[in-house]
Amino acid sequence: MIQNRLTRRHALALSGGLAALGLSGLPAQAAPSLRSEALSGEDWAALGADVKAEFKWAWDHYVAKAWGKDEINPVSGTARSFFIEGHDLGLSLIEALDTLWIMELDEEFQAGLDWVKSSLSFDIDAYSQVFETNIRLVGGLVSAHLACGDPVLLEKAKDLADRLMKAFDASPHGLPYRYVNLKTGAVRDPETNLAEIGTYATEFGVLGQLTGDDRYYAAAKRAMKHALDMRSDKGLMAANIHAETGLFTSRNASIDVYADSFYEYLWDSWELFGDTDMKRWAEECMGAMVAHQGKRFDGRLWFPMVDYETAETTAYSQTVLGAYLAGLLGQVGLKTAGDDFLATYTEMQEQYVIIPESTDVRTRTPRGKGTGLRPEFADACLNLWLGDRDERYRVLTALHYQHMKATSKAAFGYTSLADITTRPMAQGDNCPGYWWSEQMKYYFIMFAEPKRIDLDRLQLSTEACVLRGFVRG
Ligand code: DMJ
């Protein structure tokens, strides 16, 4: 297990030790397991500077190879669309904006802002996924506006949110359809899930504060309340729900797939807006999870899917995305459970270097080989670190960062992995948009403690868009 007290001797490992282990940053090198005891927090500022340099390096490649495109494929140097095939919306650029601003990469931020002003329009006769469009684009635009104050960013965010609101209006229960046509407002795909009906409150709430229009937050909260009102006697919800019937369409309670950010937004809405309903719901839901869904396999705490009425386990898998819950449990005051769950993922990181996308909780073996360059472990470490500033969370995050550098750095940026079981690991060829908004920001905030962020006020969306806590000089 990780040491709480870090010695100077360990500090050597952070720079020299990584090289000795073959983790000096060569693309696609085999990454042997690093023990957290081998690292120390000697020079966090230097590590923060390293994160900034890597971000700038990747940004320069995005500019050269994929400017205005949604995502770069960093092995081949090509690009791909994310929301609408063949019609890009500058996803990576928008997700990068507030990270650029925090890193004081002001010329790069300005170039991105200029692109938004000159080239971004949402008047497109095509369907876009409402949830992803909100967390990535509305969130990114709102956050960039909060960073620099430019009114055009707010106008664009409002224009887009108004188009997404059509997906809520079309449902008799206020549960957004999964897809909306950005131009016509037509909707499709009523079979949806908790994450896709319940991840709007923070972006919409801040947008409402900035525009003086409380319709956004009211719509977001109404959808969440609909599902919360159907909790079982055990206090659990099923993860799948129908926007037209308003009924659950599965019996599986989940903390990760189909559900994760719903739970984050309960607590975040309390933190951001002081909404006491949301606080109560968050505490009730987290309490029910710990009581009925937390299960031990070979001594390790996991939260597999369970039947929402009987709490019997229905699937023996857990994704890497579930790591967020360790941080959220800490935030709501269930820190022992949060640390316990983080220890499970810490062990997975030590064993596999890159935490598998999905794990069989009975055997702790990967269920599949590829991973999506995931940020959730660092997300949890940041939230726990913000709670008590315990150095061990930074050490675990440093490991996460160094492992990513050792395995996922490609010719033109950072990439997903095709196979984590081979040595060297086989790289994929895609940098997801969230890389620009999530893990690089988590690393930088924890290591550099940047002057443009007030750590005591910091509030991040599920996509790590900064919704509170900027310090503007
Ligand atoms: C991100 O898009 C968000 O964090 C979302 O809530 C779920 N996870 C992905 C990254 O893995």
Side-chain angles (χ1 to χ4, degrees):
M1 286 299 294
I2 183 79
Q3 307 289 313
N4 274 338
R5 299 292 303 165
L6 301 164
T7 67
R8 178 151 187 90
R9 177 176 59 80
H10 295 145
L12 298 171
L14 195 58
S15 49
L18 287 164
L21 287 165
L23 290 173
S24 55
L26 291 173
Q29 286 301 295
S33 174
L34 280 179
R35 296 286 153 183
S36 43
E37 291 90 336
L39 291 182
S40 161
E42 183 208 351
D43 192 350
W44 293 114
L47 198 56
D50 189 66
V51 173
K52 178 176 172 177
E54 291 301 307
F55 196 79
K56 167 84 166 73
W57 170 82
W59 172 261
D60 288 344
H61 284 305
Y62 173 76
V63 171
K65 299 280 185 186
W67 184 241
K69 301 294 186 191
D70 285 339
E71 292 180 338
I72 187 169
N73 301 322
V75 172
S76 58
T78 58
R80 69 176 69 175
S81 311
F82 180 80
F83 298 101
I84 301 161
E85 192 53 47
H87 193 127
D88 288 57
L89 294 167
L91 170 63
S92 295
L93 184 159
I94 291 171
E95 295 225 43
L97 283 176
D98 67 346
T99 313
L100 290 168
W101 193 83
I102 295 165
M103 291 180 175
E104 301 184 52
L105 291 167
D106 293 339
E107 278 179 30
E108 289 78 5
F109 179 88
Q110 186 61 48
L113 177 56
D114 291 346
W115 182 89
V116 168
K117 289 183 176 181
S118 65
S119 306
L120 185 62
S121 167
F122 298 119
D123 202 27
I124 310 160
D125 189 2
Y127 284 90
S128 191
Q129 192 176 353
V130 178
F131 159 77
E132 298 287 5
T133 309
N134 176 58
I135 66 171
R136 295 164 184 258
L137 296 183
V138 176
L141 292 166
V142 167
S143 180
H145 168 75
L146 292 173
C148 71
D150 193 301
V152 173
L153 291 161
L154 181 58
E155 281 166 29
K156 300 269 186 197
K158 178 179 168 4
D159 174 50
L160 184 54
D162 287 341
R163 295 170 195 271
L164 300 185
M165 285 284 279
K166 301 279 179 11
F168 291 77
D169 297 342
S171 159
H173 311 280
L175 303 174
Y177 284 67
R178 293 188 64 223
Y179 285 83
V180 67
N181 182 303
L182 292 177
K183 189 182 186 75
T184 67
V187 293
R188 67 170 169 81
D189 291 64
E191 286 188 38
T192 184
N193 53 69
L194 293 184
E196 294 192 64
I197 61 116
T199 310
Y200 305 90
T202 72
E203 295 86 356
F204 280 20
V206 172
L207 189 63
Q209 288 179 330
L210 292 167
T211 58
D213 186 344
D214 58 15
R215 285 180 311 119
Y216 302 108
Y217 186 71
K221 184 173 175 180
R222 179 186 174 207
M224 297 175 91
K225 183 173 185 302
H226 179 92
L228 287 157
D229 285 347
M230 299 197 299
R231 279 175 289 173
S232 69
D233 291 346
K234 297 217 181 309
L236 299 172
M237 287 175 282
N240 304 91
I241 193 165
H242 200 286
E244 288 167 356
T245 67
L247 300 174
F248 290 136
T249 55
S250 75
R251 299 189 60 82
N252 294 325
S254 168
I255 63 116
D256 47 9
V257 283
Y258 302 128
D260 44 12
S261 44
F262 181 105
Y263 298 108
E264 291 179 298
Y265 276 26
L266 293 173
W267 188 255
D268 291 347
S269 298
W270 155 245
E271 291 278 1
L272 275 167
F273 313 120
D275 187 327
T276 52
D277 292 335
M278 294 287 210
K279 179 174 189 273
R280 186 180 73 255
W281 289 328
E283 289 167 345
E284 290 170 356
C285 287
M286 299 294 109
M289 275 179 197
V290 170
H292 302 298
Q293 207 169 349
K295 314 237 168 176
R296 289 198 182 274
F297 297 88
D298 204 13
R300 281 83 174 176
L301 179 64
W302 294 96
F303 290 83
M305 280 191 191
V306 298
D307 183 289
Y308 83 109
E309 289 185 310
T310 68
E312 281 174 28
T313 304
T314 54
Y316 290 92
S317 59
Q318 189 98 74
T319 71
V320 60
L321 280 72
Y324 83 95
L325 185 66
L328 182 58
L329 288 168
Q331 289 177 288
V332 305
L334 296 165
K335 182 145 189 315
T336 303
D339 280 331
D340 205 347
F341 196 33
L342 190 77
T344 299
Y345 282 101
T346 298
E347 187 179 42
M348 295 300 291
Q349 174 166 265
E350 290 186 346
Q351 184 171 353
Y352 293 100
V353 179
I354 299 297
I355 300 168
E357 188 80 6
S358 180
T359 297
D360 186 318
V361 299
R362 296 164 297 190
T363 56
R364 296 193 307 285
T365 50
R367 298 173 66 253
K369 296 178 174 177
T371 63
L373 196 56
R374 296 290 179 184
E376 283 80 7
F377 182 79
D379 177 3
C381 288
L382 172 63
N383 281 325
L384 290 165
W385 181 71
L386 287 171
D388 64 8
R389 303 292 202 275
D390 189 328
E391 199 76 335
R392 69 198 181 103
Y393 302 121
R394 292 214 289 193
V395 174
L396 292 173
T397 308
L399 276 166
H400 194 262
Y401 173 60
Q402 297 291 5
H403 288 177
M404 180 192 74
K405 278 186 77 176
T407 61
S408 306
K409 189 168 181 175
F412 306 109
Y414 281 83
T415 182
S416 57
L417 293 168
D419 193 343
I420 64 165
T421 66
T422 59
R423 294 294 179 269
M425 294 183 189
Q427 294 189 332
D429 188 15
N430 175 243
C431 181
Y434 51 75
W435 183 86
W436 303 92
S437 181
E438 290 208 53
Q439 56 261 59
M440 293 302 274
K441 187 184 288 141
Y442 302 142
Y443 301 144
F444 189 69
I445 288 174
M446 292 181 82
F447 304 155
E449 299 192 50
K451 70 172 192 278
R452 288 184 174 178
I453 287 293
D454 177 350
L455 291 175
D456 295 327
R457 298 191 66 249
L458 182 62
Q459 278 297 316
L460 299 171
S461 71
T462 189
E463 195 76 357
C465 301
V466 177
L467 297 178
R468 191 180 71 192
F470 281 129
V471 177
R472 283 161 68 177

